[in-house]
Amino acid sequence: MGRLLLVSLPATGAVTYRCKHCDTPLAYGTDIISRVAIYLFRCKNGKAYLFGKVVNVNVGDKDDRVMTTGMHTVCDIFCVACGSILGWKYLAAAEKAQRYKEGKFILDRGRVVAASPAAAAAAAAAHGNGMWQDHQQQQQTSGDDDGDDQDSDEESSDHQD
């Protein structure tokens, strides 16, 4: 296996969202699109965030899913470091009113954690001191697999109406 290259999120004073399992940086809090209470995005495990931009994820296979707001073409997104499923990316929406979601990402609130700027800086420093490589070796040997990470088409949801 080659060396893992992660996109870093420079300290801007903004809250960052990180993978709950391995602390990999994923997005800035300022990239959340769904701040208005009218848009309550949901996923299999509960509440979710709609982001305009996310880094350090791999995308899965394209899938057509019927959600509460209609038919959408999506692909699951996974943490590039530990492989945990984090949510999905919208590729296409059948209904014109839902097309604003295309190219955007849903992150499950239960699978990400918000980190203050100070905590993010401490995590970045720890990763730079070799602790990240040790953590990655532990993840690879432990086989961190919940078994409940896959959403079925019937259980997928994007928000409540």
Side-chain angles (χ1 to χ4, degrees), residues 18 23 118-133:
R18 308 175 80 77
D23 206 37
H127 291 182
N129 291 333
M131 293 173 65
W132 179 245
Q133 289 82 7

Side-chain angles (χ1 to χ4, degrees), residues 9-44:
L9 295 176
T12 62
V15 171
T16 58
Y17 286 83
R18 308 175 80 77
C19 176
K20 177 180 178 179
H21 301 288
C22 68
D23 206 37
T24 297
L26 300 170
Y28 288 115
T30 55
D31 290 327
I32 295 176
I33 295 172
S34 60
R35 292 200 182 275
V36 182
I38 192 170
Y39 299 109
L40 297 176
F41 288 87
R42 305 203 39 91
C43 61
K44 175 183 166 185

